[in-house]
Amino acid sequence: MGRINPITERRGLRAGLIAASLLYILLFLVLPVVTVFTEALGKGFGGYFTAINDPAARSAIKLTLLTAAIAVPFNMAFGIAASWAIAKFEFRGKSVLITLIDLPFSVSPVISGLIYVLLFGAQGILGPWLAEHDIQIVFAVPGIVLATIFVTFPFVARELIPLMQEQGTEEEEAARSLGADGWQTFWRVTLPNIRWGLLYGVLLCNARAMGEFGAVSVVSGKIRGLTNTMPLHVEILYNEYNIVAAFAVASLLAFLALVTLVAKGVLEWAYGHELGGARA
Amino acid sequence: MSSAASQRSWLTPSVVPGFGMTMGFTLVYLSLIVLLPLAALVVRAGGLGWDQFVAVVTAPRAVAAYRLSFGAAFIAAAINIVFGVLVAWVLVRYRFPFKRLVDGLVDLPFALPTAVAGIALATLFSKNGWIGSVVEPLGLKVAFTPLGVMVALVFIGLPFVVRTVQPVLQDLDKEVEEAAASLGADRFQTFRHVILPSILPAAVTGFALAFARAIGEYGSVIFIAGNLPMKSEIVPLLIIIKLEQFDYRGAAAIGAAMLAASFVLLLVINMLQRWSRQRMGG
């Protein structure tokens, strides 16, 4: 006692800094999540389940699941292909390509939706041609899927690129020299090496795909029971002052977010060294 | 293969297969999903002609929206740089109960859908909400004011500074701090002259990331903002309103202006990240 450790703070200051941090986290992170669940149960479990069982809510849940089920595998395939090309080979223009892949993260969600309306909408560049052939993309499910693919575009690629760069090409070269063909090399050597990083990227991609609001809001047209995803349904219910139902549907999304965070934490804790970058 | 030939080639030869297929798929997919649609926006905005484009982009309602979006994003990012450094510091240096839980919770704004955050914040800060009922009698009206926009942007920007500063603090050499202390520096001087300069590039990078995210944010803002033209209307909402009025060109023009701002920020962020890495000696 008595001797002050030269590289830490006095006890009182330490406690003060911890308290300030926790208060900040409490106000901005904990209270919003708690609000979602308490408001959702505002009329008890009966009201909660009635809200979730509503046909419009169920069709929104179905559309959200469908959208993620298309968008996530597409971006997963892209992420694997892009990281293979970028990490296993040396070529000029690589850093430009990486910047372009990250581009959707810098674009406002509303603009992510807007670009598809300008391309495929009735007044869009391809609008007249699409109308002639009776193909509807905007204000229909294909538009929702496209906008979701756009906003979740970089997730898998940006997890896999640093990971595969760290792993280098030695194991693939060894597999080749032992007579494995390209696909065998991928399935038996590369994929097992990147599986946890891949799962990590897919997890984040899926959370965003199911929760995307701005981009989908622009392209959807919000036709109840047809082009309404869960986040859009939350908005409609909330604007109709159907607060319990809005928060009931929102609570499913909040639950998904919490599960995603837990799964992400478990992956970082158990396989941090296999995730690449600074994920450990 | 002669070395001259391999120097001329843009691709270094490798025994690993699959370059053509994976690169082909990457470029086609990138072009179809990202590049062509973004080009459509530029083409559509360009269709206005320069004078009209400038007129749309500098209309008073648009300028008011930029001021709100950029101003609130800046203040929110400034709040997050202070509290972000604080949270990162506490998470790296101190031990306290539920630390892992708090650490994991920091990523919540990345995982929680924006619409969910939006209605939760609007409810919390409304007149009868848990926070609103406390601060509103003090004269602080948050919900349905520009202050509400800022609160939502603080929420969505919260993880950025924490996550950029945290690894830098972790790698910081404690011997330097011991040296400063043995030379007679008190704790504050050590922080100000030794620690702060090392974490500054990372903190500024986090600030820029949070700012860039905040100017385009839509879902978490619109429920708490009030959305009055000239007063509490953010730029993304103005774009949506123009679309709903079938003013596609106006929407495209403002979208293109915002896109240009995002690209400039992206360049700045890339430069900041390079600066960060140089400081870290990596």
Side-chain angles (χ1 to χ4, degrees):
Chain A
M1 295 301 271
R3 196 179 161 277
I4 295 166
N5 180 345
I7 60 161
T8 189
E9 287 71 44
R10 274 178 293 112
R11 211 187 159 140
L13 180 59
R14 254 183 356 228
L17 293 176
I18 292 173
S21 299
L22 292 183
L23 184 68
Y24 186 63
I25 301 275
L26 177 80
L27 277 183
F28 281 100
L29 299 182
V30 178
L31 282 186
V33 175
V34 175
T35 300
V36 171
F37 291 101
T38 52
E39 292 286 332
L41 294 170
K43 287 187 193 155
F45 283 96
Y48 183 80
F49 288 113
T50 312
I52 289 176
N53 263 323
D54 176 70
R58 286 168 63 158
S59 90
I61 294 170
K62 257 186 231 154
L63 182 56
T64 289
L65 293 176
L66 173 74
T67 304
I70 301 171
V72 175
F74 265 98
N75 282 339
M76 189 173 113
F78 164 74
I80 293 171
S83 54
W84 181 276
I86 287 170
K88 302 291 178 197
F89 300 90
E90 283 310 318
F91 56 90
R92 237 185 285 160
K94 189 186 272 194
S95 63
V96 176
L97 184 59
I98 293 176
T99 305
L100 289 177
I101 289 173
D102 268 342
L103 206 54
F105 277 168
S106 325
V107 175
S108 167
V110 167
I111 294 176
S112 312
L114 172 69
I115 55 179
Y116 290 105
V117 174
L118 295 177
L119 198 56
F120 300 123
Q123 294 186 41
I125 293 170
L126 299 177
W129 186 86
L130 289 171
E132 219 170 274
H133 293 78
D134 211 19
I135 305 170
Q136 192 163 16
I137 293 182
V138 168
F139 306 137
V141 175
I144 293 173
V145 172
L146 276 173
T148 303
I149 289 179
F150 182 95
V151 293
T152 58
F153 188 87
F155 275 105
V156 177
R158 73 154 35 182
E159 289 305 323
L160 290 186
I161 290 168
L163 177 61
M164 277 165 74
Q165 277 175 330
E166 275 168 35
Q167 287 172 345
T169 54
E170 275 171 30
E171 290 186 35
E172 281 78 11
E173 283 165 20
R176 288 288 281 171
S177 72
L178 293 171
D181 67 27
W183 285 109
Q184 285 172 326
T185 306
F186 173 72
W187 286 108
R188 303 216 184 135
V189 177
T190 312
L191 193 60
N193 279 339
I194 61 167
R195 59 189 165 175
W196 299 116
L198 181 62
L199 183 61
Y200 192 93
V202 164
L203 206 64
L204 299 182
C205 184
N206 179 65
R208 180 73 193 267
M210 290 191 174
E212 178 52 27
F213 176 68
V216 170
S217 171
V218 175
V219 295
S220 130
K222 296 173 196 166
I223 306 158
R224 208 184 280 233
L226 275 179
T227 62
N228 229 7
T229 63
M230 286 169 77
L232 297 177
H233 194 55
V234 168
E235 183 195 26
I236 291 183
L237 292 170
Y238 187 82
N239 287 342
E240 288 171 347
Y241 300 102
N242 198 344
I243 303 298
V244 168
F247 277 102
V249 178
S251 75
L252 298 176
L253 291 166
F255 183 69
L256 169 76
L258 293 178
V259 169
T260 302
L261 284 185
V262 169
K264 180 173 164 296
V266 168
L267 278 180
E268 283 165 7
W269 171 75
Y271 304 104
H273 55 288
E274 290 179 50
L275 291 181
R279 297 292 187 197
Chain B
M1 187 177 291
S2 75
S3 68
S6 66
Q7 265 168 17
R8 242 181 286 127
S9 151
W10 58 279
L11 173 70
T12 310
S14 163
V15 298
V16 180
F19 181 77
M21 192 184 74
T22 54
M23 185 54 103
F25 178 57
T26 299
L27 292 179
V28 169
Y29 191 73
L30 177 71
S31 304
L32 286 180
I33 299 289
V34 179
L35 302 180
L36 284 176
L38 282 174
L41 173 68
V42 177
V43 167
R44 217 52 215 279
L48 272 173
W50 180 250
D51 290 342
Q52 235 189 319
F53 176 82
V54 172
V56 171
V57 165
T58 58
R61 188 171 171 184
V63 172
Y66 305 139
R67 198 176 296 145
L68 176 65
S69 276
F70 284 85
F74 188 88
I75 298 170
I79 292 172
N80 272 324
I81 203 172
V82 175
F83 282 92
V85 168
L86 176 68
V87 170
W89 177 267
V90 164
L91 285 175
V92 172
R93 290 297 174 96
Y94 301 154
R95 286 201 300 184
F96 54 91
F98 303 113
K99 185 165 131 169
R100 270 209 81 89
L101 185 72
V102 173
D103 195 353
L105 210 56
V106 167
D107 282 331
L108 181 77
F110 288 156
L112 192 69
T114 55
V116 177
I119 61 168
L121 290 170
T123 303
L124 265 179
F125 284 89
S126 72
K127 203 168 63 207
N128 302 317
W130 289 339
I131 300 178
S133 61
V134 176
V135 296
E136 214 158 283
L138 304 172
L140 205 62
K141 212 171 152 3
V142 178
F144 316 122
T145 70
L147 205 57
V149 176
M150 207 198 68
V151 165
L153 297 182
V154 168
F155 171 84
I156 58 122
L158 195 145
F160 290 101
V161 175
V162 181
R163 293 302 183 226
T164 50
V165 171
Q166 220 174 1
V168 181
L169 271 179
Q170 245 146 16
D171 292 345
L172 212 60
D173 201 348
K174 284 208 172 163
E175 281 169 22
V176 190
E177 287 173 57
E178 281 169 350
S182 73
L183 291 170
D186 66 27
R187 216 32 212 157
F188 180 75
Q189 286 173 321
T190 307
F191 181 79
R192 167 78 186 72
H193 296 288
V194 177
I195 298 167
L196 196 59
S198 338
I199 61 172
L200 192 66
V204 175
T205 305
F207 172 90
L209 288 168
F211 180 74
R213 167 75 203 264
I215 57 170
E217 178 58 19
Y218 174 70
S220 60
V221 176
I222 49 156
F223 296 100
I224 197 175
N227 306 327
L228 292 172
M230 308 296 297
K231 241 191 106 186
S232 52
E233 183 180 70
I234 54 168
V235 183
L237 179 66
L238 182 60
I239 293 175
I240 286 193
I241 287 173
K242 287 198 179 285
L243 271 181
E244 281 170 356
Q245 295 166 344
F246 301 104
D247 180 7
Y248 281 44
R249 286 181 166 179
I254 292 178
M258 287 300 279
L259 199 61
S262 297
F263 286 163
V264 170
L265 271 168
L266 189 64
L267 282 178
V268 171
I269 289 166
N270 279 340
M271 272 154 52
L272 284 170
Q273 276 167 340
R274 216 167 300 146
W275 179 41
S276 262
R277 273 196 295 272
Q278 278 169 3
R279 273 294 178 89
M280 291 299 290

